[in-house]
Amino acid sequence: FAEVDAELCDDFLRSLKKARKTDDRIRTILSAIYRLWEYSEALSEPIREIPFGRPLEKLVKKRSGKDGMSENRTPVIPEAIYGPLMATALDYVLNYGATIIAARNELRSAWERESRRLTTRSRTTKYRVLTKLTEEITDRVRAPWLSESWRGQNGIFRELQQLRRACIIVTLAYSGIRSSELLSLEARCCVNEDAGGGRVRHYVNTTVRKHRG
């Protein structure tokens, strides 16, 4: 962002107008640049000067509407709901996610190994052997967060679904990405950067999907 200067901003604004973007759309796009400038102190390579050399309000018209407000007016989730929800989801991901994934990987490896060994056996024999193997694995892996043992593959699959939901909640809440962008996430999409002072800044790489006016 350190290379963003007034000349570059002016070129960008001209390109938006040439593309016949509406005033509301231009304001929305430019507000992202101003927001980056406002948080310059938190950036490793900050924008050095105010974008376009003047405030956003003097650059483009206010949004259309009765009050001209540009803020998102989606109702806020009450803290009484949001707090416990986030605490539970984050706790589930951080404390139990690794155990659930490990159990699932061990079960899958065991099934693949035994399926190859039992190629010539009957379907009934395969089912009996694999069911016993699954019970042995789930009995061995402790699940202290459950009131009852997760005996059997259904228990593991049920926890995987719960873990997926918790990951979705945490990712949406702490990254701010849209649900459509969430669905575009791929393995190893998280990038870490040294922010100095012992801090680490985390980025999530995804595909931007949004309405473009």
Side-chain angles (χ1 to χ4, degrees):
F1 299 114
E3 297 180 3
V4 176
D5 56 19
E7 182 179 356
L8 182 62
C9 288
D10 288 339
D11 287 343
F12 181 57
L13 179 58
R14 281 192 291 271
S15 70
L16 292 177
K17 292 181 177 180
K18 186 176 181 180
R20 297 183 179 179
K21 301 288 186 181
T22 65
D23 287 342
D24 281 356
R25 189 61 188 155
I26 291 176
R27 183 182 179 86
T28 298
I29 295 173
L30 298 186
S31 65
I33 300 176
Y34 280 91
R35 186 61 59 89
L36 288 171
W37 175 69
E38 291 170 0
Y39 286 91
S40 290
E41 293 184 359
L43 300 177
S44 55
E45 295 184 4
I47 298 176
R48 302 182 185 281
E49 55 189 34
I50 182 171
F52 306 96
R54 54 194 183 279
L56 177 62
E57 291 72 18
K58 294 184 178 181
L59 187 65
V60 290
K61 299 177 184 177
K62 289 185 177 182
R63 281 181 176 272
S64 58
K66 293 182 179 179
D67 54 10
M69 293 180 64
S70 61
E71 293 296 327
N72 187 332
R73 284 176 280 178
T74 302
V76 176
I77 300 175
E79 180 60 29
I81 297 175
Y82 181 81
L85 175 64
M86 288 307 306
T88 301
L90 190 59
D91 178 75
Y92 194 79
V93 172
L94 295 179
N95 294 326
Y96 311 128
T99 300
I100 296 170
I101 296 297
R104 176 256 191 183
N105 290 342
E106 183 177 355
L107 178 61
R108 183 171 63 178
S109 298
W111 271 46
E112 291 176 350
R113 182 180 63 252
E114 290 301 310
S115 295
R116 289 192 297 268
R117 188 177 68 83
L118 300 170
T119 301
T120 59
R121 301 295 185 88
S122 67
R123 181 178 298 180
T124 302
T125 300
K126 288 182 181 179
Y127 178 79
R128 185 169 61 252
V129 172
L130 293 176
T131 298
K132 185 173 187 263
L133 179 63
T134 300
E135 291 177 352
E136 291 175 354
I137 292 175
T138 52
D139 283 344
R140 184 170 64 256
V141 180
R142 295 183 64 255
W145 66 93
L146 297 176
S147 58
E148 298 180 358
S149 173
W150 59 358
R151 187 179 184 86
Q153 62 174 328
N154 289 338
I156 292 181
F157 293 154
R158 182 172 58 251
E159 292 306 307
L160 279 172
Q161 291 293 335
Q162 292 284 74
L163 179 59
R164 181 178 292 110
R165 295 187 187 101
C167 287
I168 288 174
I169 292 172
V170 171
T171 302
L172 288 174
Y174 288 108
S175 70
I177 63 176
R178 300 173 178 82
S179 57
S180 58
E181 296 164 355
L182 175 78
L183 298 177
S184 298
L185 294 178
E186 299 179 355
R188 293 177 292 279
C189 65
C190 183
V191 179
N192 302 324
E193 176 187 85
D194 183 3
R199 298 177 302 164
V200 178
R201 185 176 292 113
H202 305 280
Y203 297 94
V204 176
N205 290 328
T206 184
T207 302
V208 176
R209 300 182 186 277
K210 57 189 291 189
H211 167 72
R212 296 181 182 277

